[in-house]
Amino acid sequence: MNVLLIGGGGREHALAWAISASPLLTTLYCAPGNPGIAEVATLVPVDVTDHAAVAAFCAAAGIDLVVVGPEAPLVAGLVDDLNARGIKAFGPTRFAAQLEGSKGFTKDLCRDFGIPTAAYERFTAPEPAKAYIRAQGAPIVIKADGLAAGKGVVVAMTLGEALDAVDMMFSGGLGEAGAAVVVEEFMTGEEASFFALCDGENALALATAQDHKQVGDGDTGPNTGGMGAYSPAAVMTPEMVERTMAAIIRPTLAAMTAKGHPFQGVLFAGLMITAEGPKLIEYNCRFGDPECQVLMMRLKDDLLTLLLGAVDGQLKTMSARWYDAAALTVVMAAKGYPGAPEKGSVIGGLDPLKGLDGVAVFHAGTALKDGLLVANGGRVLNVTATGASVAEAQAKAYETVARVDWPGGFFRHDIGWRAVERERAAKR
Ligand code: AMP
Ligand code: GLY
């Protein structure tokens, strides 16, 4: 079969890498892709915001399945527009993508269907939000309702920070995304990313991961899209996975079906494992980036078969198997990220890393310029490795990072620290 993958980040490189190994695949296309993806797929210069153009390409190339990587095209209704033209697509419809596109939508759904999450209120003006914050006290969490590229959440430790966040959002600091806000209870616990493949009716638990959102070592500095990740997340024991499926994932699927908009695609639950059990921090309606990179390294079964199972409503009888090995990815970012990243610096040293056992260097914001690989975005490379333990995967990933010749980049030195400490403590 012929597949068109939409997106051009590290997540899509990992998806392309997995799909390209499928026995079901004839040709893999990707739009817009990147130079790393070009090694396993044919890049096509289709504007993915032009849904009619995407559909026209699908008809011309005989595409059997479109796989949508990022959230923006899902929220924009690409899947709806493809389905309307009879083209199969993996990912939720525009309505169902509100689980990520609108924090208020998700909070109301949790309230209406008894799904555990932080207590909250929604606001469309600053004064009532401030009055609520004063009544609740700090710490407290302020969230822009819409998509804000991971920058829409302020965890305010003081009342002053909370009130400033309200002013920032309502004065347009995050554009349209901040026209409405959610104010919610501050939760404590360990965070985990949990992924479930959904076919509208059934959910199949995928693997777990932990992300490192902050830019600096020791979890310091501003939030980013994610500076590294590892899988599995030890906090997600089999028992915790089942509790999450029972209390959060399955009720969400039932709720979406009750609303007349079944959810098909990946449900990515950001969880807080609290003293009372798992609680939903937020939903994303696609694979995590960079969590997907570590998941794909551990997936034993054919990804394309699983994605088709979701699109065709066949997950009930399917399972996904994972290698026991841990996987860890280190994001190499361009200097300046998460502010304005410096573009155009030359990246070398990648060729000898190809084909190394248990190592994959996924491309995110890279480009080719005059035959040279250059940085072309914030997060640029995802250096990923597997190992018998997280500590081993970490050591192998950082050995590989050291071989990348890129003075214009930087990375965190402590990806996986929580798991590595846990492994050490368990040995003592
Ligand atoms: P989000 O974009 O909603 O995943 O939020 C970004 C980060 O803010 C999360 O990964 C958490 O670390 C933190 N966060 C969000 N909501 C809460 C909450 N209610 N309590 C504590 N921390 C939170
Ligand atoms: N790494 C977090 C995300 O993909 O949203």
Side-chain angles (χ1 to χ4, degrees):
M1 63 187 296
N2 295 324
V3 176
L4 171 65
L5 174 65
I6 304 288
R11 164 183 50 213
E12 287 75 28
H13 190 183
L15 291 172
W17 176 77
I19 292 171
S20 68
S22 173
L24 301 181
L25 185 73
T26 309
T27 305
L28 176 62
Y29 299 91
C30 185
N34 65 37
I37 297 174
E39 291 171 9
V40 291
T42 303
L43 303 194
V44 288
V46 177
D47 175 4
V48 302
T49 63
D50 182 347
H51 299 180
V54 176
F57 172 79
C58 291
I63 297 296
D64 301 292
L65 178 70
V66 178
V67 177
V68 185
E71 61 277 19
L74 296 168
V75 171
L78 178 58
V79 170
D80 309 58
D81 291 338
L82 292 173
N83 288 168
R85 292 170 172 89
I87 300 162
K88 271 190 196 183
F90 175 81
T93 60
R94 181 211 290 264
F95 186 96
Q98 285 183 88
L99 283 173
E100 172 160 4
S102 167
K103 304 230 187 245
F105 173 87
T106 299
K107 297 299 289 190
D108 287 354
L109 181 123
C110 288
R111 182 195 57 207
D112 296 346
F113 292 85
I115 296 164
T117 187
Y120 75 105
E121 286 290 338
R122 298 174 71 172
F123 298 97
T124 51
E127 285 318 317
K130 289 183 181 175
Y132 178 76
I133 289 168
R134 287 197 187 92
Q136 298 293 317
I140 194 158
V141 182
I142 325 297
K143 299 186 173 184
D145 187 78
L147 290 182
K151 289 162 192 128
V153 174
V154 175
V155 178
M157 299 316 287
T158 66
L159 209 53
E161 273 174 74
L163 300 176
D164 286 351
V166 169
D167 283 332
M168 180 275 284
M169 289 183 195
F170 281 115
S171 63
L174 297 171
E176 268 303 297
V181 307
V182 168
V183 179
E184 68 177 38
E185 168 202 4
F186 173 78
M187 300 187 285
T188 49
E190 185 169 344
E191 282 183 51
S193 301
F194 181 75
F195 299 86
L197 199 58
C198 305
D199 69 3
E201 204 178 323
N202 309 289
L204 180 63
L206 298 178
T208 60
Q210 233 162 17
D211 184 14
H212 295 63
K213 288 212 167 74
Q214 286 173 282
V215 73
D217 288 354
D219 294 331
T220 54
N223 270 347
T224 68
M227 292 300 290
Y230 61 93
S231 173
V235 66
M236 293 305 288
T237 57
E239 187 237 338
M240 201 57 80
V241 167
E242 188 39 44
R243 279 177 79 175
T244 302
M245 291 297 284
I248 298 179
I249 303 294
R250 288 196 281 264
T252 299
L253 287 198
M256 294 304 289
T257 299
K259 285 178 179 287
H261 295 276
F263 185 94
Q264 178 267 111
V266 178
L267 207 46
F268 162 4
L271 301 176
M272 187 73 85
I273 309 305
T274 71
E276 294 119 59
K279 289 192 182 180
L280 183 70
I281 300 175
E282 65 158 4
Y283 270 134
N284 296 306
C285 62
R286 34 86 194 167
F287 281 106
D289 189 348
E291 290 95 326
C292 183
Q293 289 81 315
V294 288
L295 256 50
M296 291 306 115
M297 295 288 275
R298 296 189 55 231
L299 180 62
K300 216 186 250 185
D301 285 308
D302 176 38
L303 177 66
L304 193 48
T305 303
L306 289 166
L307 300 182
L308 272 175
V311 175
D312 292 337
Q314 301 291 319
L315 290 182
K316 195 174 186 141
T317 55
M318 294 175 70
S319 62
R321 291 169 305 161
W322 304 88
Y323 291 109
D324 289 333
L328 183 141
T329 188
V330 178
V331 170
M332 298 185 76
K335 283 178 184 164
Y337 180 75
E342 291 167 20
K343 290 192 179 173
S345 54
V346 176
I347 303 163
L350 299 189
D351 279 341
L353 308 179
K354 282 180 193 151
L356 287 183
D357 193 34
V359 170
V361 179
F362 297 116
H363 290 223
T366 63
L368 282 174
K369 202 175 162 199
D370 306 327
L372 294 173
L373 189 70
V374 298
N376 191 40
R379 295 187 294 169
V380 173
L381 296 172
N382 313 137
V383 180
T384 315
T386 55
S389 60
V390 176
E392 272 188 43
Q394 183 193 52
K396 196 150 70 168
Y398 280 110
E399 275 163 30
T400 312
V401 165
R403 295 174 63 183
V404 176
D405 177 14
W406 182 31
F410 75 97
F411 54 91
R412 275 183 63 160
H413 302 80
D414 61 349
I415 300 302
W417 66 269
R418 237 187 230 96
V420 170
E421 268 181 17
R422 207 183 237 129
E423 286 173 357
R424 277 203 198 109
K427 272 196 202 143
R428 273 189 220 120

